[in-house]
Amino acid sequence: MLQPHDGRMIDAGGVNTFCIDRGTGRAVVLLHGASLAVDAWLTWFRTIENLSSAFRVASFDQIGFGRSDSPPGNKYLNRLERVPHAWAVLDALGVEKAILVGHSEGAFMVARMAVEQPKRVEKIVLITSGGTSPRLGGELDRGWMEASDAAYDVQDGKATEDTCIRNDPHLRRIKDADYERVLRENYRRAQRGGSYDMFQSLPLAETDYHLYTQLQEQHLFPFLGQLSIPALLIWARNDPTVPVERGLKLMDMIAGAELHVISDAAHMVMHDRPEAFNGLLRAWCAA
Amino acid sequence: MWDPLLRHLETAGRDVRYDTIGHGESTKPPGPYSLQLYARQAIELLDHLEIGSATIIGFSLGGLIAMAIGALYRDRVDGIAILNAVHRRTPAEQDAVELRVEQVRGGGPAATVDAALDRWFTQPFKQDNPELVEHVRRTILRNDPEAYLAAYQVFAQGGVEFHAELDRISRPALVATGEDDIGSTPLMSRRMAAALSGDVVIWPKLRHLPPMEDPGIVARTLDVFFRATSASGEALKASIGNL
């Protein structure tokens, strides 16, 4: 199995950035989501292993996550503010054009990158993302907002290593020693470094879900209609934080987007159903 | 029906295609037909070919047949792929299909074929592929009127007798349809997949005949399904009509 030490530190626009860059061929860049102890390795270790026999697969810890530098003043950067760093990583790796794959908040960044510089984006893959998809409207949003509150409440010191393991959406479904080991290491690194502290004082727009979707409403939706890049949406059926209805609404906004709903899977769909997920991603990227 | 798809499929093992009762070259006994009858036809075909178990791929009425095979003969099933099939129609949808049954009863296949072709293919595809669309039209019109009506009635009933059985099939399942298939809607596919604990795929901008309009995208979906379920060997494809 690959190990995180197969990665290396690179300078991406002045940000010391942990990056795992494996394989040869067309470039596939993987962007992780945003939560305490989440980083590229935890999210993608099974996908990197699978796809790197057919593609050049690059993934990196976003600014403020994993082994990469904290933002200036350890002030949390939202998913729009992290996009310039992602471009800097592609530049530093010499990746001119890539298939961009984003999970959760990483999907927002991928979609935003496709809007900003479509010539550099071959295809996009958006995976079970509440930070990218539309609200349903009114009462219909109550369910996923409550589920997100429960899943992402890490402020006021509530996130101990134990609760982090106990509430993890993947470990709640499946016993997975490899994943749990990485998650524990990440939690401890977040405490040692600045991540944990950074997550203690998130802006209100990150924790109030009525405000949270404004970012995609203002910086994504007005531009999605003009997008002419092949798009794949991968949703998980059992992810209460991002119901399938929201994926369908996002599909309506992106012309030609294909939607796959993977059963028996929650937010960490790439670990809940790795064969189905990696098989789909591999075939779609290759097509 | 399946030729274009098979040309694109990378994972094809041994494939068996057959005309269901009342269609194409197969026998056309007097009705009524039932999903039980269709399922038994498939199993007798497997017996005849000495195939122990197979992955069942069914399109439209064939999707309902695949569901019935899974419910009645699960030991013979490795996996089920259901393409563009109906599931739990709303009262309005049920009224619409029953109206079509009456039209077929009165005027045979010709009574509904034009509206059907509009529901099945996107407008640009129809314009760009007049010969293929004409071929499909002729195939529909060639149907024996009595057998066509009997099969249409099974389709109109929608397989409701098996809905309570779906969660007991417990085989890898895939349910897929076109984003713009107004007869076999994405919502139906999602609910059917939920009942089967299967995956769902919604193909963009396609109507009822993705296997003919965009066989590449259907093949890719099936390739992923076959690889994920490691279903190799026999694939049995039940088709409605030898389109």
Side-chain angles (χ1 to χ4, degrees):
Chain A
M1 190 171 122
L2 279 170
Q3 294 299 324
H5 59 243
D6 290 311
R8 66 183 198 274
M9 301 303 294
I10 61 169
D11 179 342
V15 178
N16 213 12
T17 301
F18 178 72
C19 175
I20 307 155
D21 184 10
R22 311 284 302 181
T24 55
R26 286 153 74 196
V28 178
V29 179
L30 310 173
L31 282 84
H32 62 75
S35 188
L36 182 68
V38 164
D39 67 359
W41 183 248
L42 179 78
T43 308
W44 301 119
F45 69 86
R46 292 192 165 101
T47 303
I48 295 166
E49 180 111 28
N50 185 303
L51 261 68
S52 58
S53 61
F55 299 95
R56 176 184 180 187
V57 182
S59 67
F60 62 96
D61 290 348
Q62 292 163 27
I63 180 168
F65 292 82
R67 295 166 174 82
S68 291
D69 276 356
S70 300
N74 206 22
K75 182 181 159 297
Y76 185 83
L77 297 182
N78 71 32
R79 56 200 182 282
L80 180 66
E81 294 162 337
R82 297 197 298 271
V83 168
H85 174 246
W87 283 125
V89 172
L90 263 65
D91 293 341
L93 293 174
V95 173
E96 184 44 44
K97 186 166 187 172
I99 299 171
L100 301 181
V101 180
H103 173 240
S104 200
E105 283 202 358
F108 172 94
M109 298 171 67
V110 159
R112 177 69 198 180
M113 291 167 83
V115 165
E116 288 181 5
Q117 298 193 52
K119 286 193 172 65
R120 295 190 66 179
V121 182
E122 189 185 335
K123 302 176 179 185
I124 56 173
V125 182
L126 311 178
I127 303 156
T128 186
S129 175
T132 312
S133 48
R135 285 198 271 178
L136 300 171
E139 272 301 290
L140 295 173
D141 288 310
R142 184 197 286 258
W144 71 261
M145 286 182 179
E146 285 176 0
S148 300
D149 274 338
Y152 297 112
D153 186 7
V154 296
Q155 300 202 101
D156 307 323
K158 283 202 257 320
T160 65
E161 183 170 336
D162 258 6
T163 60
C164 196
I165 298 296
R166 203 164 52 233
N167 294 334
D168 182 85
H170 174 56
L171 294 177
R172 284 173 75 143
R173 303 180 66 82
I174 300 167
K175 194 168 160 53
D176 182 342
D178 289 335
Y179 179 96
E180 182 176 333
R181 191 174 57 249
V182 178
L183 185 61
R184 284 187 187 280
E185 284 167 9
N186 282 7
Y187 178 88
R188 289 168 199 166
R189 185 181 312 103
Q191 278 217 315
R192 280 197 312 275
S195 279
Y196 189 92
D197 293 336
M198 186 181 77
F199 270 96
Q200 296 312 299
S201 50
L202 291 171
L204 190 62
E206 298 298 320
T207 55
D208 179 335
Y209 288 97
H210 293 279
L211 302 176
Y212 179 73
T213 55
Q214 284 180 1
L215 216 54
Q216 59 255 42
E217 285 154 14
Q218 290 168 9
H219 300 280
L220 213 50
F221 299 165
F223 313 105
L224 287 182
Q226 293 132 44
L227 212 62
S228 60
I229 292 170
L232 170 66
L233 275 51
I234 304 178
W235 241 246
R237 180 175 356 269
N238 314 98
D239 183 351
T241 66
V242 205
V244 175
E245 283 73 15
R246 296 185 67 199
L248 283 163
K249 281 192 86 169
L250 183 61
M251 180 187 187
D252 284 341
M253 296 175 133
I254 305 175
E258 187 174 331
L259 171 69
H260 285 238
V261 182
I262 296 188
S263 67
D264 203 13
H267 199 58
M268 299 306 279
V269 51
M270 67 290 286
H271 293 296
D272 291 337
R273 293 275 310 277
E275 293 83 11
F277 178 87
N278 291 328
L280 167 60
L281 189 59
R282 200 181 162 109
W284 196 81
C285 289
Chain B
M1 175 77 220
W2 299 106
D3 281 348
L5 178 68
L6 287 172
R7 279 198 293 277
H8 286 83
L9 210 59
E10 290 176 5
T11 48
R14 172 183 178 186
D15 67 89
V16 179
R17 286 167 281 165
Y18 72 101
D19 293 339
T20 52
I21 291 170
H23 292 88
E25 306 299 315
S26 287
T27 181
K28 298 174 188 62
Y33 303 159
S34 66
L35 289 180
Q36 284 86 347
L37 174 72
Y38 281 125
R40 208 174 68 233
Q41 179 197 17
I43 293 305
E44 288 182 11
L45 178 64
L46 288 182
D47 289 344
H48 179 78
L49 298 172
E50 299 182 347
I51 295 170
S53 64
T55 300
I56 317 292
I57 305 168
F59 164 77
S60 196
L61 174 59
L64 298 182
I65 298 171
M67 172 183 84
I69 297 169
L72 294 170
Y73 306 98
R74 49 174 285 183
D75 292 347
R76 309 296 294 272
V77 173
D78 299 323
I80 302 179
I82 295 173
L83 315 181
N84 299 81
V86 296
H87 185 67
R88 294 189 192 276
R89 291 186 180 97
T90 63
E93 289 163 345
Q94 189 61 34
D95 287 348
V97 74
E98 283 174 14
L99 178 67
R100 295 207 295 275
V101 169
E102 290 315 308
Q103 289 170 330
V104 168
R105 192 193 306 280
T112 56
V113 70
D114 286 322
L117 291 171
D118 281 340
R119 280 198 314 276
W120 294 355
F121 293 112
T122 64
Q123 222 33 54
F125 185 83
K126 277 183 76 177
Q127 270 158 22
D128 295 347
N129 300 274
E131 286 172 14
L132 189 142
V133 173
E134 193 47 39
H135 172 68
V136 173
R137 179 199 304 276
R138 281 199 304 272
T139 308
I140 298 294
L141 294 179
R142 244 192 345 261
N143 275 298
D144 175 87
E146 293 298 319
Y148 190 75
L149 176 63
Y152 215 102
Q153 284 171 318
V154 176
F155 174 69
Q157 286 152 14
V160 289
E161 65 269 42
F162 292 105
H163 287 171
E165 312 285 327
L166 296 190
D167 61 348
R168 286 203 288 273
I169 294 177
S170 56
R171 290 287 183 273
L174 167 79
V175 186
T177 196
E179 183 182 14
D180 299 323
D181 186 335
I182 57 169
S184 313
T185 64
L187 181 64
M188 289 176 176
S189 288
R190 287 169 53 209
R191 289 185 173 158
M192 201 174 194
L196 288 161
S197 299
D199 297 347
V200 186
V201 178
I202 311 295
W203 296 304
K205 292 183 186 169
L206 287 168
R207 296 188 179 181
H208 191 57
L209 270 175
M212 301 189 87
E213 181 159 343
D214 192 349
I217 199 170
V218 177
R220 190 150 47 70
T221 299
L222 290 175
D223 280 334
V224 168
F225 176 66
F226 289 154
R227 289 193 180 110
T229 55
S230 305
S232 55
E234 331 282 357
L236 178 73
K237 299 174 187 70
S239 73
I240 128 161
N242 56 346
L243 290 179

